[in-house]
Amino acid sequence: MPSVGTLAFDEFGRPVLILKGQESKKRLFGIEAHKSHILAGKAVADTLKTSLGPRGMDKCMVSPDGDITITNDGATILSMMHVENEIGKLLVQLSKSQDDEIGDGTTGVVVLAGALLEHAEALLDKGIHPIRIADGYELAAKVALEHLDKIAETYPLDLKKLDPLINTAMTTLGSKIINRCQRQMAEIAVNAIMNVADMERRDVNFELIKVQGKVGGRLEDTLLVKGVVVDKTFSHPQMPKEVRDAKIAILTCPFEPPKPKTKHKLDITNVEDYKKLREYEKEKFTEMIKAIKDSGANLVICQWGFDDEANHLLLSHELPAVRWVGGPEIELIAIATGGRIVPRFQELTAEKLGFAGHIRELDFGTTSEHMLCIEQCKKSNTCTIFVRGGNKMVVEEAKRALHDALCVVRNLVRDNRIVYGGGACEISCAIEVAKEANKIPTIEQYAIRAFADALESVPLALAENSGYSPIKTLSDVKAQQIAQNNPRLGIDCLNTGTNDMKAQTVIETLIGKRQQISLATQLVRMILKIDDIRLPGEAEE
Amino acid sequence: MRGDLNTALNPIPLYKQGVEEEKSELARLSCFAGAMAVGDLIKTTLGPKGMDKILQCSMSGGPDAGKLLVTNDGATILSKIGIDNPVAKVLVDISKVQDDEVGDGTTSVVVLASELLRETENLLAQKIHPQTVIAGWRKATDEALRVLEGIAKNNSANPEQFRKDLMNIARTTLSSKILQGKKDYFAKLCVDAVLKLHGKTDLQGIQIIKRLGNNMSDSYLEEGFLLEKRIGINMPKRLENARILIANTPMDTDKVKVFGARLKKKKMKDKVNKILQHNCNVFINRQLIYDYPEQLFAEKGVMAIEHADFEGVERLAQVLGGDIVSTFDTPDKVRLGKCDLIEEIIIGEDKLIKFSGVSQGQACTIILRGATQQILDEAERSIHDALCVLSQTVREPRICYGGGAAEMMMATAVSQLAEKTPGKESVAIESFARALRQLPTIIADNAGYDSAELVANLRAAHTAGKSTYGLDMDKGVTADMVDLGIVESYHLKRQVVSSAAEAAEMVLRIDNIIRAPPRQRQRDMRNH
């Protein structure tokens, strides 16, 4: 009786209510609860399965407001799928945590978790207790992770030879729509990371990389700007559109004459006072401009606006200015140009100015839209990836894909060990785990074997999406791997003629894979341990 | 077994209520249906003999309620019709981007994308995987763009020839629009206007003023500049050798309410005096000029024009070569605008101010006349398209031939590639060529000719190496486009092909559509 609460009866046969509102609450427990969880988990995984791999398909999501997102990125799909089922939500979070931690492999982790759940179902039918399954999975995951470390190869990280990094980024980009210009995008991502990477700390500050999109042009027109691009223009139409060797004053104080605000109490009792006030205003303002001029700046970037008079005064003093630059952008400009953000005019000094070699306005197409491009900065370790594309959806998807590629390259900078993709490492782990299963004396060995089977679901899905007969392809590759003892053999998705992933340079990061296996196992273990689910009934109107 | 039964009978809801999901074949079906519907909707507007559409804005609410719109412009049509199909929205978006990027070709890009998807339907029925199709398309797109670049010509080194090219491009663009009757006249108008910009693509410098009445051929390009404003009362209506101060400054009273009129007057008078120190005889302000300062200006014989809008002021500054001024303490530093003559003229019923003999002619005004508002609106859109294309051509001066010549050229090259390519991709490449060939077919169909015959002839001509042959839609034959002067910008064509292929590829990759329930709107109870 899954949907009715437990009833207890007293000696007269009357029901005793144990929980409040018992009739309206839904309850699921025991084996039914497990079954329903597994079903939900599988449903989510099935949706994502077709997006896996270089031949994977995209999903089109329509938001409540009618906006469209077309994407291949697991985390994005799941977060926009409006999943309501509790277990479904857990999988959504699983993919999100993979995204936050690693940035790539968000589809793979969900597919793996789905497969683990599916195999657990078969074991449950055999009558194995969920806890034993969970423990078995745990053991198997340990074996798999150890094996991964064994087959991982250390990658040479050489700043002069970026090819290996580019290959990894290309693997990530392979499944996205922008694989049309895969090489170019991968180079952009690698160059961007190399630009900002701190090789001593082996870390990358993502804040220094901005990905800015603008519809129009082609994907091939995407470029990496070693500097900052802001969606702003010079404040006065007659200011020069190009500044060279700019010394930049970065201000966060309002650049306007002090106006009497409503809060101030200002007693103006006669004409003289009023005149004085006006004089004072003017004086203040010329002071401000003088302060900037004195510091040697020839460009002003201001977080606030300034009124017409200020604008003209700046123009007549030949000080080009940009107004209404938002917080994060102003910080980026400050970092890039090596300037300091100045909160008060009094504190403006020559040392606090930023420097940029070349600042120009870019204009696009026929819409008279402009952007400001700041290049040749003093500290050139900020950069902007400027994405172009034929429509809004492509640009958005390209931005997501580039983010993934950036994450992967960053992960390599942090930890330069790699494994081979295309399902190669999964197959290798599956073989190892299956071998290990036979050595276990307890009934956990069933679970461990199931884990090995589940690992094979990733290459299976890859083969299926690529249009091969999945089981035949997988068994061929598996046999080859065992025969040649070569963990680098995977599924040849692009039909290039070889299934050696080293030759195809299909490379994934070790931490990404590790994370996938351990996160998926953890989540499945958690789901298997739930045996009772209670839903609040409909709120009484 | 009771447990299993229960699980089967209790469906587990995965999504929120109201979420719809369409999977694989069904999703593809709805993708193609949407794309084809949009393509069919606007394909009748393609080409010189394309038809127009009437769009009526919804009758309920809004300032445009019940307004009529007659147009031939793809981007305008698509932006006005409400669309629910997600794929159709992608197509609307590419047409909008095409409009923003090049200004014309907005219909072609959508038609090409939808023809590509129509071809795919057949391919998928033959059990060819979408990814294989995409791989084929990529090769085809590269080949098409390579060929297109090969035939693109650059005449910018020769100003005379370049001007002729521009004229031809303008004529080609205008020939599908309402202005086709007077296309030579308007082509010249547009080319003159664009050449005045000296290579800038910012079309703000070109102002289009529409006035009801008269005939379309009474439209003209004003060498000087027109401002839709009135000259203040009691001021000279005609002024020669004007020295113009362009300002953006408040000429009303301060917000602080103090000792009333006396002080304000004094303040204003100071300001006016300062302005007069600039030795100007015309004062144009973006903001209002109140009665009192206006009177002061009138006394000094200075012409004052108030409330010129922002764009107007910028344009004036460009035309007259003056600064836009907001403070008046440094008269010696300010550049004044100059022009030979300012006078008030009357067009139709309205008075306008005309500035002639301006020093820097970087801006100009086109005055459109026409019998109805719809004609004027459509004429403005057409002129805008032509101006956009021209200004982009000035920047990227390569050209290629229109009338289906460039499409056929690409299609022929892509077909040859298909013959050389082994494997299933070849079928996809061939389908790309067919989609390209659809464009001349539709142009011929719209003109009422036997498209099958014409396109076959055209294809034969191209295969025989006559790569400049296209369709002559006046006579209904294939002809050399060089003689006819039907020229299009290379940038436009490249953008059409790459953007349509990109969009079609994106749509083809979709195998699942998940639709969230529409956001529930709270009823507005404020008025009840």
Side-chain angles (χ1 to χ4, degrees):
Chain A
M1 296 282 278
S3 56
V4 184
T6 348
L7 289 180
F9 298 96
D10 64 5
E11 64 263 40
F12 304 110
R14 287 173 308 188
V16 180
L17 296 182
I18 299 166
L19 295 168
K20 203 173 144 200
Q22 190 161 273
E23 300 80 35
S24 63
K25 273 185 185 151
K26 278 201 212 150
R27 183 175 177 206
L28 226 54
F29 65 98
I31 201 84
E32 284 91 33
H34 286 294
K35 288 273 167 81
S36 94
H37 299 159
I38 289 170
L39 209 63
K42 263 162 59 186
V44 174
D46 278 348
T47 310
L48 281 192
K49 221 179 205 165
T50 52
S51 288
L52 201 71
R55 298 273 178 159
M57 306 293 275
D58 289 2
K59 307 271 175 278
C60 174
M61 258 83 57
V62 185
S63 83
D65 299 321
D67 295 332
I68 296 165
T69 311
I70 298 178
T71 184
N72 182 285
D73 180 59
T76 315
I77 298 173
L78 284 175
S79 67
M80 297 180 86
M81 244 167 55
H82 300 272
V83 172
E84 205 186 37
N85 185 288
E86 300 70 32
I87 304 302
K89 276 184 189 158
L90 287 177
L91 285 170
V92 173
Q93 293 207 344
L94 168 71
S95 146
K96 193 171 170 302
S97 60
Q98 173 84 9
D99 192 31
D100 292 347
E101 190 63 26
I102 305 295
D104 188 34
T106 52
T107 315
V109 69
V110 176
V111 171
L112 186 59
L116 284 173
L117 284 173
E118 197 179 334
H119 285 95
E121 192 181 14
L123 296 180
L124 282 174
D125 282 346
K126 277 188 190 150
I128 297 176
H129 194 270
I131 289 296
R132 306 299 287 269
I133 303 175
D135 287 346
Y137 278 1
E138 189 80 19
L139 274 172
K142 226 175 112 202
V143 174
L145 290 180
E146 274 166 11
H147 183 66
L148 264 186
D149 285 343
K150 237 181 280 163
I151 60 169
E153 292 176 18
T154 306
Y155 222 38
L157 205 61
D158 188 352
L159 284 182
K160 296 194 184 66
K161 272 195 352 223
L162 294 176
D163 270 9
L165 288 176
I166 293 173
N167 286 336
T168 322
M170 274 169 76
T171 309
T172 303
L173 293 174
S175 60
K176 316 283 179 193
I177 189 162
I178 59 172
N179 56 10
R180 189 152 53 101
C181 18
Q182 201 173 356
R183 174 96 200 168
Q184 181 196 358
M185 292 289 179
E187 275 173 15
I188 287 177
V190 171
N191 283 332
I193 291 284
M194 282 304 134
N195 215 3
V196 303
D198 185 344
M199 289 317 253
E200 274 167 27
R201 278 198 308 133
R202 296 185 88 80
D203 200 5
V204 176
N205 186 359
F206 262 15
E207 307 234 314
L208 300 178
I209 301 175
K210 202 173 146 205
V211 183
Q212 179 110 26
K214 176 99 182 80
V215 288
R218 302 182 292 166
L219 270 178
E220 283 87 345
D221 299 337
T222 301
L223 49 94
L224 178 72
V225 178
K226 294 203 172 163
V228 191
V229 177
V230 265
D231 196 357
K232 292 279 176 293
T233 53
F234 286 114
S235 59
H236 197 285
Q238 289 174 331
M239 284 175 181
K241 303 281 177 223
E242 198 174 3
V243 181
R244 284 190 182 274
D245 298 327
K247 293 196 188 67
I248 308 166
I250 304 162
L251 302 172
T252 52
C253 42
F255 201 114
E256 48 191 16
K259 287 216 169 109
K261 301 247 162 70
T262 36
K263 265 188 180 173
H264 292 254
K265 187 164 157 51
L266 196 64
D267 282 325
I268 300 173
T269 47
N270 55 35
V271 182
E272 292 307 310
D273 279 0
Y274 187 72
K275 267 190 186 161
K276 267 189 213 153
L277 177 68
R278 273 186 51 73
E279 285 301 314
Y280 173 73
E281 277 184 9
K282 244 171 73 185
E283 210 177 284
K284 265 293 185 209
F285 197 60
T286 24
E287 261 177 34
M288 287 180 189
I289 298 217
K290 203 164 162 294
I292 294 173
K293 271 268 158 192
D294 286 349
S295 71
N298 57 3
L299 180 77
V300 182
I301 287 179
C302 185
Q303 196 177 14
W304 302 92
F306 25 84
D307 61 8
D308 300 330
E309 286 186 25
N311 210 348
H312 178 253
L313 265 179
L314 284 168
L315 177 71
S316 59
H317 284 88
E318 285 159 12
L319 267 177
V322 186
R323 55 182 158 180
W324 297 122
V325 181
E329 285 170 340
I330 215 164
E331 275 177 25
L332 214 56
I333 294 174
I335 295 170
T337 59
R340 295 271 293 276
I341 296 175
V342 181
R344 258 180 296 266
F345 280 100
Q346 292 83 342
E347 293 172 9
L348 192 66
T349 52
E351 304 88 70
K352 289 184 179 169
L353 298 179
F355 178 82
H358 191 191
I359 295 178
R360 64 197 160 103
E361 248 184 44
L362 306 168
D363 53 345
F364 301 102
T366 62
T367 47
S368 63
E369 281 174 41
H370 302 280
M371 281 190 182
L372 211 60
C373 177
I374 304 174
E375 280 177 308
Q376 297 168 16
C377 301
K378 195 177 181 181
K379 287 160 96 182
S380 63
N381 60 359
T382 42
C383 52
T384 306
I385 299 176
F386 195 59
V387 184
R388 307 298 310 270
N391 58 57
K392 207 170 59 197
M393 297 87 190
V394 166
V395 173
E396 288 302 311
E397 175 68 356
K399 275 161 83 173
R400 276 190 291 271
L402 275 170
H403 176 258
D404 282 7
L406 289 173
C407 287
V408 167
V409 181
R410 176 199 58 182
N411 292 340
L412 267 186
V413 171
R414 279 190 182 158
D415 182 347
N416 57 358
R417 282 176 299 167
I418 51 125
V419 288
Y420 289 95
C425 64
E426 280 91 352
I427 298 174
S428 174
C429 285
I431 295 170
E432 183 65 24
V433 170
K435 232 189 270 168
E436 211 55 34
N438 299 335
K439 298 180 194 158
I440 305 275
T442 53
I443 54 169
E444 268 90 9
Q445 63 164 275
Y446 284 95
I448 296 176
R449 235 171 257 139
F451 190 90
D453 288 344
L455 275 176
E456 283 167 7
S457 66
V458 173
L460 271 178
L462 278 177
E464 198 178 339
N465 289 345
S466 311
Y468 302 126
S469 156
I471 296 174
K472 183 178 176 300
T473 318
L474 176 66
S475 44
D476 282 356
V477 175
K478 208 168 155 185
Q480 269 184 327
Q481 273 217 8
I482 293 177
Q484 301 176 12
N485 197 15
N486 180 357
R488 293 188 302 271
L489 300 180
I491 308 286
D492 176 21
C493 296
L494 295 170
N495 205 3
T496 47
T498 168
N499 57 7
D500 189 340
M501 290 298 132
K502 193 169 187 178
Q504 277 202 31
T505 59
V506 178
I507 297 156
E508 290 186 61
T509 56
L510 173 69
I511 36 177
K513 272 282 169 269
R514 279 187 70 105
Q515 192 78 5
Q516 271 189 355
I517 293 178
S518 57
L519 276 180
T521 315
Q522 250 173 47
L523 182 89
V524 169
R525 201 179 139 81
M526 181 173 138
I527 294 176
L528 284 176
K529 283 178 98 171
I530 306 172
D531 77 333
D532 194 344
I533 184 163
R534 284 166 193 271
L535 297 171
E538 295 293 311
E540 281 176 32
E541 297 288 326
Chain B
M1 288 314 284
R2 216 185 57 180
D4 279 357
L5 195 68
N6 257 314
T7 327
L9 290 182
N10 273 327
I12 300 149
L14 184 58
Y15 297 115
K16 274 198 190 116
Q17 215 167 18
V19 172
E20 291 169 36
E21 191 184 11
E22 290 172 78
K23 280 197 164 170
S24 53
E25 292 308 313
L26 216 57
R28 264 183 217 124
L29 200 70
S30 97
C31 285
F32 295 149
M36 281 186 251
V38 171
D40 288 343
L41 176 74
I42 63 165
K43 87 177 178 196
T44 53
T45 64
L46 196 72
K49 307 277 166 158
M51 306 297 268
D52 289 1
K53 307 248 175 253
I54 279 195
L55 303 171
Q56 188 168 18
C57 300
S58 114
M59 297 299 274
S60 58
D64 294 340
K67 218 176 123 192
L68 268 189
L69 198 72
V70 181
T71 185
N72 177 286
D73 183 52
T76 314
I77 299 173
L78 289 178
S79 67
K80 296 278 178 200
I81 48 175
I83 281 181
D84 195 33
N85 185 295
V87 173
K89 279 188 188 161
V90 175
L91 294 192
V92 173
D93 199 58
I94 54 171
S95 118
K96 188 179 159 291
V97 172
Q98 178 81 10
D99 195 29
D100 291 349
E101 186 73 10
V102 197
D104 196 26
T106 53
T107 311
S108 314
V109 67
V110 175
V111 171
L112 183 57
S114 86
E115 288 305 327
L116 278 172
L117 290 172
R118 192 192 301 274
E119 289 293 332
T120 328
E121 204 185 11
N122 301 333
L123 295 184
L124 294 188
Q126 295 169 26
K127 301 274 181 253
I128 294 177
H129 194 269
Q131 293 285 3
T132 316
V133 179
I134 289 173
W137 280 359
R138 286 192 180 159
K139 287 188 182 158
T141 316
D142 290 345
E143 175 71 7
L145 292 178
R146 195 183 58 78
V147 171
L148 189 66
E149 194 164 5
I151 54 166
K153 272 200 227 155
N154 188 347
N155 285 330
S156 60
N158 178 353
E160 212 167 288
Q161 180 64 34
F162 188 52
R163 194 187 152 83
K164 227 169 113 192
D165 282 351
L166 286 181
M167 281 293 288
N168 282 336
I169 289 176
R171 258 201 296 267
T172 312
T173 305
L174 291 174
S175 66
S176 63
K177 309 279 157 128
I178 193 168
L179 300 171
Q180 54 175 290
K182 318 253 176 338
K183 65 182 175 193
D184 287 329
Y185 183 75
F186 280 103
K188 188 170 172 312
L189 208 95
C190 293
V191 172
D192 286 343
V194 167
L195 286 179
K196 270 186 186 302
L197 293 177
H198 299 292
K200 277 198 272 183
T201 51
D202 194 351
L203 292 177
Q204 274 192 359
I206 300 175
Q207 185 187 19
I208 299 178
I209 293 181
K210 301 177 280 183
R211 283 288 173 269
L212 267 181
N214 256 350
N215 199 317
M216 269 188 3
S217 53
D218 291 323
S219 311
Y220 62 97
L221 177 75
E222 177 62 56
E223 288 294 325
F225 185 76
L226 287 177
L227 192 65
E228 286 180 276
K229 288 291 169 259
R230 301 278 197 90
I231 299 172
I233 319 154
N234 284 334
M235 293 181 184
K237 295 278 183 261
R238 186 188 150 84
L239 209 92
E240 285 181 25
N241 291 326
R243 293 180 307 280
I244 306 155
L245 183 69
I246 307 156
N248 175 12
T249 179
M251 291 300 279
D252 51 355
T253 42
D254 234 323
K255 302 291 174 288
V256 193
K257 291 279 173 209
V258 265
F259 282 68
R262 192 166 56 100
L263 180 63
K264 282 185 224 158
K265 267 188 177 169
K266 174 127 183 11
K267 191 183 157 192
M268 267 301 113
K269 197 161 184 175
D270 285 349
K271 199 162 185 177
V272 170
N273 281 333
K274 270 189 194 161
I275 290 169
L276 290 175
Q277 273 171 17
H278 287 73
N279 193 24
C280 60
N281 53 13
V282 182
F283 176 71
I284 301 174
N285 193 9
R286 183 170 86 82
Q287 302 178 21
L288 284 173
I289 303 176
Y290 272 36
D291 292 344
Y292 178 66
E294 192 172 319
Q295 177 197 337
L296 289 175
F297 282 123
E299 276 170 17
K300 303 282 183 202
V302 171
M303 184 192 282
I305 301 165
E306 64 165 10
H307 212 215
D309 53 278
F310 197 75
E311 283 180 13
V313 165
E314 275 190 28
R315 232 177 251 145
L316 264 177
Q318 270 180 13
V319 182
L320 304 171
D323 288 343
I324 301 173
V325 185
S326 294
T327 54
F328 306 99
D329 297 322
T330 50
D332 43 325
K333 274 193 185 168
V334 173
R335 266 192 307 150
L336 292 181
K338 287 194 184 65
C339 78
D340 294 343
L341 179 68
I342 298 179
E343 58 184 340
E344 206 173 60
I345 57 163
I346 297 175
I347 298 176
E349 294 178 326
D350 300 302
K351 285 181 187 165
L352 299 165
I353 305 167
K354 176 175 165 184
F355 300 79
S356 39
V358 292
S359 52
Q360 286 187 338
Q362 286 202 346
C364 55
T365 306
I366 293 174
I367 294 125
L368 286 178
R369 308 296 310 271
T372 70
Q373 193 62 43
Q374 279 80 21
I375 291 183
L376 281 179
D377 288 344
E378 177 65 359
E380 185 190 0
R381 275 191 292 273
S382 312
I383 295 270
H384 180 257
D385 279 5
L387 290 176
C388 288
V389 173
L390 289 175
S391 64
Q392 291 296 325
T393 314
V394 172
R395 182 189 262 191
E396 158 64 273
R398 282 181 286 179
I399 55 157
C400 57
Y401 291 100
E407 284 86 357
M408 195 45 99
M409 175 86 197
M410 289 188 268
T412 313
V414 171
S415 279
Q416 278 164 6
L417 177 73
E419 282 161 20
K420 280 182 245 159
T421 312
K424 280 191 261 186
E425 282 171 16
S426 156
V427 188
I429 298 175
E430 183 53 39
S431 81
F432 195 91
R434 268 201 302 278
L436 278 172
R437 240 172 254 136
Q438 278 297 312
L439 284 174
T441 313
I442 294 169
I443 293 177
D445 273 339
N446 285 346
Y449 296 115
D450 183 353
S451 61
E453 169 94 16
L454 272 177
V455 172
N457 288 349
L458 186 59
R459 196 176 170 185
H462 273 268
T463 316
K466 297 176 191 165
S467 65
T468 52
Y469 263 58
L471 297 175
D472 177 356
M473 280 300 103
D474 289 331
K475 301 203 186 83
V477 290
T478 54
D480 194 345
M481 291 294 121
V482 182
D483 300 338
L484 290 177
I486 297 183
V487 172
E488 286 188 73
S489 113
Y490 161 72
H491 182 55
L492 185 154
K493 275 275 174 279
R494 192 193 70 183
Q495 192 68 25
V496 165
V497 175
S498 68
S499 171
E502 214 167 78
E505 182 180 315
M506 177 157 228
V507 172
L508 195 54
R509 283 174 63 106
I510 297 175
D511 79 332
N512 201 339
I513 300 176
I514 297 166
R515 224 185 285 257
R519 197 181 294 284
Q520 297 291 314
R521 281 185 206 288
Q522 294 284 311
R523 246 183 83 197
D524 192 355
M525 298 297 277
R526 275 171 301 184
N527 302 328
H528 296 279

